[in-house]
Amino acid sequence: MLESIPLISGTLFAAVFGSPVAHGKIISLDVSAAESMPGVKRIFTYKDIPGKNQIGGIVPDEPLLAEDEVHFDGMPVALVVAETQEIAHAAVKKIKIDIEKHTVITDPRIAQANGSLIVPPRTFKMGDSTKAFKDCVHIFEGTAETNGQEHLYIETQGAYAIPAENSSLKVYSSTQGPTAVQRHMAAVLGISMHRLEIDTVRLGGGFGGKEDQATSWAIFCALAAWHLKKPVKYSLHRMEDMRMTGKRNPYSSDFKIGLNADLKIIAYEATFYQNAGAAADLSPAVLERTLFHCTNSYFVPNVSATAYCCRTNLPPNTAFRGFGGPQGMFVIEAAIAKAADALGITAAEIQQKNLLNTGDEFPYGQKAVSEASACWNKAVDLYQVQKIKNEINSFNATNSLYKKGISFMPICFGISFTKILMNQARALVHVYMDGSVNVSTGAVEMGQGVNTKMLQVAATIFSIDTNKVRINSTNTYRIANTSPSAASATADLNGKAVQIACEKILLRLKQSAAEIFKTEPAVIDIKDERILVHNQLTDMTWNDLVIATYLKRISLSEHGHYATPGIHFDNTIEKGHPFAYHVYGTAITTVTVDCIRGIYEVDAVRLVHDFGTTMNPIIDRGQIEGGLVQGIGWMTMEEIVYDKEGKLRSNALSTYKVPDIYSVPKNLDIHFLETANDNLAIFRSKAVGEPPLMYGIGTYFALRNAIKAFNPKTAIAFSAPMTPEKVLMGLYSHMERAEHIHKTSVGEQLIPD
Ligand code: MOS
């Protein structure tokens, strides 16, 4: 979005000097060589902060600029402002720092053992798992690891701050949370929020990476603009962004699962070690969602799950599509796969038997209104699963160098911010005297199509052409105290606020029309910009009615406020009804593994997804496709590597592989399941932002099954991503690779179609 804001002449450019070591005490900082470079305007340190040097959202543990200690490689220490971006970057390289190095911790289990937790551990409990394990016929234990994930929004982090009238600032920020930026900026500058107009036009992607972590870059620009009285812009270089910003939280987890003779999961225990990085950021909230989703789409009567938020010397990890849910779901899927292996059955047999039914209780007390079996059964029928299985079996029986695998991945994802107070939104709607409509909300457009949905809401309520409606940028002067665009809840919350505002105006328009037609408002309708009385068309148009209403001095503007009803959660007992509703679905994934090279292809993902009733199938399909491929990337190829010194080694796209067009499943079938149960979604069109990412977990388990088809005794660990290297190790974990190739008959089909 920053590239679409015209540059004001005299604009200065910023760049941050980040700590070259991951943990230590600053002995000295020398900026003199940098400061004397031609074109450098000024270098700022924490000493230049007029207010508080603090940007922590949940826990106040994150300085904007380091004072005497550094906690991660790349932690901002100084801010250079210069006439050009090139000079600013060149000056950063001339800053010298002397740091006394301290021990670097990158492993969350070590951090937990040292007692280095950001918040106290949380435990969700239902029933009595200790007792229940005694009644289980089958008990399996293990560990599972999931790595982080780089957000890789196409637009890197950035902001543009412009001094404005009367000691105020206008700041264009590439953020999912304009109010978070405004609030922390006010605290850092030591001024009131009303002096800060944060404007967000649209983002080149967010994926959670700009829910909290856009804030510091906006404040850097604001700090410099405040002191220098000049516009200041900063768009991060990709490698700065990758080095200095946090990612999806990696997790290391332990599980114990117990089943009865009928394959019902009777007991489940899990311990999650979340790698939070050097500051809380959103990790405590991410941790909570891991617990909410630790049993995925299954009913388990006896559960005990504990999660640790572990402080390490990595950049603060943060929100990423799914927000801890995928990390929790991977672990129970691993537990089920382990049980299935040991019992010599498919995971699907266990999964299908344990799907949630309506009325079943989640470990956090809410009762399910379940579409789990509806999605699963529809997928089995629609995609003719038995036929697919037969094809795979015959392929595997006749090919020894290539093997296919299949997996089922049911999902269940709760919609609402888990922090109850955040489930509120506002919208400002103006109808102008020419009949055009202007809508502002707290929703941030980041490619997910929320502006289109907001436009649909206004156009539908008024029954006018969408060309008559304009959606504004998200701006803290128009809409105050916004929740970030996150938690898949943006269209619901802001859409309901738009609906409320439009309905209030509509009622006044109908009252106005009723006066004109000397009748009751209840018999007035507006359809396709025409006014109807008793369902009879009149000559009056939308435009006529609008101007007539204006002439009567009736307000054509409204501010709508929406707060999700019925949700509550008591975290002293970890029970409540935190979600407005759940989204369900089932994906069936088939893959082919090349058993010599370890490389693979996703042949097909066929899924059935619970949409309620979609209000925009094109946008929703796009969200499913994008989320799925992003999930496949996380599960298969995206491998974040920090060395023991806490330095990011996968710090560019040459060393960090992300999905491309060839990673998209060759077949991708999406069935829109209309579900009839009532929900609190806008126009009953269920949230679709995050849930589809979790279908990607199915690819991991399909690959695992293909490896097992080749090597039934494989000792492959539950460790994502399943890179080709890991596939290769799994394929040959009990035999010599060369020996196997030697034994394979020549002339076999090498490239399966
Ligand atoms: Mo999203 S991961 O809730 O910003």
Side-chain angles (χ1 to χ4, degrees):
M1 83 155 209
L2 287 177
E3 294 316 304
S4 63
I5 314 291
L7 265 192
I8 295 170
S9 128
T11 293
L12 301 173
F13 296 86
V16 158
F17 169 74
S19 170
V21 302
H23 192 199
K25 186 170 160 40
I26 299 177
I27 305 298
S28 67
L29 178 70
D30 178 6
V31 300
S32 55
E35 207 154 32
S36 60
M37 277 180 68
V40 172
K41 287 290 174 192
R42 190 162 156 190
I43 295 176
F44 297 93
T45 67
Y46 74 93
K47 291 175 186 158
D48 300 298
I49 290 173
K52 288 201 187 86
N53 181 23
Q54 183 52 248
I55 58 166
I58 296 177
V59 179
D61 67 347
E62 191 176 1
L64 177 72
L65 286 162
E67 297 188 6
D68 44 15
E69 285 182 355
V70 289
H71 298 285
F72 63 92
D73 181 83
M75 179 173 175
V77 177
L79 174 71
V80 176
V81 180
E83 283 167 7
T84 69
Q85 192 73 73
E86 292 70 25
I87 297 171
H89 278 129
V92 160
K93 295 203 178 101
K94 299 217 166 170
I95 293 176
K96 293 186 193 76
I97 192 165
D98 185 16
I99 297 176
E100 176 192 300
K101 288 190 184 179
H102 294 168
T103 311
V104 172
I105 306 288
T106 58
D107 182 332
R109 288 184 190 252
I110 294 173
Q112 191 267 347
N114 292 345
S116 189
L117 300 179
I118 288 176
V119 290
R122 304 269 303 262
T123 298
F124 280 21
K125 256 184 194 300
M126 183 164 69
D128 184 341
S129 55
T130 312
K131 211 168 118 217
F133 274 119
K134 297 197 178 107
D135 301 328
C136 291
V137 182
H138 313 291
I139 297 176
F140 305 97
E141 293 181 70
T143 63
E145 315 270 336
T146 49
N147 202 334
Q149 187 174 22
E150 172 62 47
H151 298 87
L152 217 87
Y153 21 67
I154 288 174
E155 177 189 28
T156 57
Q157 303 274 5
Y160 186 17
I162 300 161
E165 186 150 335
N166 196 7
S167 299
S168 65
L169 287 173
K170 176 163 190 171
V171 183
Y172 294 100
S173 169
S174 180
T175 180
Q176 291 173 241
T179 292
V181 170
Q182 182 192 26
R183 182 161 74 93
H184 293 295
M185 192 180 285
V188 169
L189 295 179
I191 61 172
S192 298
M193 287 169 75
H194 68 195
R195 291 194 192 281
L196 296 169
E197 179 183 10
I198 313 301
D199 195 277
T200 301
V201 182
R202 73 184 69 78
L203 314 187
F207 309 117
K210 296 170 182 170
E211 182 177 345
D212 214 48
Q213 301 221 341
T215 301
S216 55
W217 318 104
I219 301 178
F220 287 133
C221 293
L223 179 68
W226 187 255
H227 281 289
L228 299 171
K229 312 271 178 256
K230 291 271 192 189
V232 178
K233 183 175 174 178
Y234 189 9
S235 287
L236 272 68
H237 185 280
R238 178 66 66 188
M239 287 172 82
E240 284 179 297
D241 190 306
M242 291 180 82
R243 177 185 174 214
M244 295 184 182
T245 66
K247 305 165 198 321
R248 181 189 292 284
N249 295 90
Y251 276 62
S252 181
S253 310
D254 298 325
F255 61 78
K256 182 176 176 185
I257 191 168
L259 298 90
N260 70 11
D262 295 332
L263 301 179
K264 285 274 192 189
I265 305 171
I266 299 302
Y268 181 62
E269 288 178 357
T271 310
F272 300 101
Y273 300 87
Q274 179 201 49
N275 193 333
D281 193 276
L282 291 165
S283 291
V286 171
L287 187 84
E288 187 176 47
R289 199 175 267 277
T290 301
L291 292 172
F292 280 121
H293 295 312
C294 72
T295 52
N296 188 12
S297 201
Y298 311 110
F299 173 63
V300 184
N302 301 284
V303 176
S304 177
T306 297
Y308 296 99
C309 184
C310 309
R311 196 188 292 280
T312 61
N313 297 113
L314 300 182
N317 287 314
T318 192
F320 195 132
R321 205 172 194 171
F323 205 82
Q327 290 97 319
M329 287 156 66
F330 181 81
V331 179
I332 194 162
E333 293 303 327
I336 290 171
K338 181 147 189 172
D341 283 359
L343 298 173
I345 57 175
T346 64
E349 283 178 69
I350 300 173
Q351 291 171 311
Q352 194 262 333
K353 279 215 162 79
N354 290 280
L355 291 173
L356 279 161
N357 289 311
T358 293
D360 285 344
E361 192 173 329
F362 290 98
Y364 47 91
Q366 185 162 344
K367 297 258 170 65
V369 178
S370 181
E371 312 289 358
S373 293
C375 292
W376 179 288
N377 294 340
K378 182 77 193 175
V380 168
D381 290 350
L382 181 68
Y383 300 125
Q384 299 180 285
V385 165
Q386 198 48 52
K387 191 163 156 262
I388 298 172
K389 281 188 189 164
N390 294 343
E391 284 165 7
I392 289 177
N393 290 341
S394 82
F395 180 94
N396 287 347
T398 52
N399 288 273
S400 60
L401 294 181
Y402 290 87
K403 295 291 180 188
K404 286 187 186 288
I406 181 170
S407 75
F408 282 69
M409 183 64 201
I411 62 155
C412 167
F413 197 77
I415 303 302
S416 282
F417 286 98
T418 55
K419 188 120 190 114
I420 301 295
L421 79 86
M422 292 171 80
N423 295 288
Q424 54 170 315
R426 280 156 294 281
L428 180 63
V429 177
H430 297 310
V431 178
Y432 292 99
M433 64 177 88
D434 68 351
S436 65
V437 176
N438 191 302
V439 175
S440 299
T441 74
V444 171
E445 176 59 59
M446 48 186 150
Q448 85 281 42
V450 73
N451 278 0
T452 304
K453 288 189 174 177
M454 296 305 97
L455 186 134
Q456 279 183 268
V457 173
T460 304
I461 303 288
F462 288 140
S463 192
I464 57 177
D465 193 274
T466 50
N467 288 322
K468 276 208 152 55
V469 185
R470 182 182 188 278
I471 307 295
N472 284 309
S473 63
T474 316
N475 184 298
T476 56
Y477 278 3
R478 281 189 290 271
I479 302 293
N481 310 325
T482 60
S483 292
S485 287
S488 304
T490 311
D492 283 357
L493 296 173
N494 291 278
K496 296 263 187 174
V498 173
Q499 180 176 15
I500 288 166
C502 292
E503 282 174 350
K504 284 185 184 168
I505 296 171
L506 182 67
L507 182 64
R508 293 201 289 267
L509 288 168
K510 286 183 178 177
Q511 283 163 342
S512 167
E515 279 177 28
I516 295 165
F517 290 105
K518 300 192 173 28
T519 179
E520 296 302 312
V523 302
I524 305 287
D525 281 303
I526 302 174
K527 279 218 177 75
D528 301 329
E529 303 189 8
R530 290 287 292 277
I531 312 307
L532 283 72
V533 179
H534 286 294
N535 290 320
Q536 296 298 308
L537 271 181
T538 67
D539 288 340
M540 186 180 267
T541 65
W542 162 264
N543 284 16
D544 297 336
L545 178 57
V546 166
I547 190 75
T549 307
Y550 168 73
L551 293 174
K552 290 179 207 232
R553 300 189 295 164
I554 291 168
S555 168
L556 293 170
S557 296
E558 195 58 61
H559 184 252
H561 168 83
Y562 176 74
T564 313
I567 50 171
H568 55 88
F569 194 69
D570 179 351
N571 57 13
T572 62
I573 53 168
E574 307 287 26
K575 298 280 179 191
H577 186 105
F579 297 118
Y581 58 90
H582 290 82
V583 172
Y584 295 84
T586 293
I588 301 167
T589 302
T590 49
V591 299
T592 305
V593 169
D594 173 333
C595 300
I596 291 182
R597 298 171 186 86
I599 58 176
Y600 46 76
E601 279 184 346
V602 181
D603 300 325
V605 176
R606 301 173 174 99
L607 63 91
V608 172
H609 186 86
D610 154 33
F611 284 92
T613 307
T614 178
M615 68 185 279
N616 192 318
I618 295 174
I619 285 178
D620 287 352
R621 180 178 293 276
Q623 286 294 299
I624 301 262
E625 291 174 351
L628 168 69
V629 173
Q630 200 164 33
I632 291 175
W634 175 51
M635 279 287 114
T636 63
M637 68 187 80
E638 298 189 41
E639 193 170 36
I640 288 176
V641 178
Y642 286 99
D643 65 18
K644 289 207 172 358
E645 296 296 308
K647 279 198 188 299
L648 181 66
R649 290 302 174 189
S650 51
N651 65 346
L653 289 176
S654 53
T655 46
Y656 184 74
K657 178 152 178 59
V658 289
D660 56 20
I661 192 67
Y662 301 105
S663 319
V664 175
K666 282 190 282 182
N667 281 303
L668 176 49
D669 292 326
I670 300 169
H671 179 75
F672 286 56
L673 187 69
E674 281 220 12
T675 49
N677 282 313
D678 202 13
N679 65 52
L680 285 168
I682 180 68
F683 293 168
R684 296 194 68 262
S685 179
K686 283 190 171 184
V688 72
E690 292 167 287
L693 182 130
M694 284 149 264
Y695 292 131
I697 296 171
T699 299
Y700 180 95
F701 289 96
L703 286 168
R704 198 169 177 280
N705 288 337
I707 294 166
K708 283 194 305 173
F710 179 79
N711 175 2
K713 290 199 166 76
T714 184
I716 190 162
F718 293 106
S719 171
M722 183 78 90
T723 58
E725 291 87 342
K726 283 188 198 159
V727 171
L728 202 57
M729 287 188 286
L731 289 166
Y732 298 97
S733 57
H734 277 282
M735 53 179 131
E736 289 303 316
R737 181 163 175 263
E739 183 193 347
H740 177 78
I741 293 167
H742 182 74
K743 281 188 201 152
T744 305
S745 57
V746 268
E748 190 176 53
Q749 177 199 15
L750 275 177
I751 309 292
D753 194 281

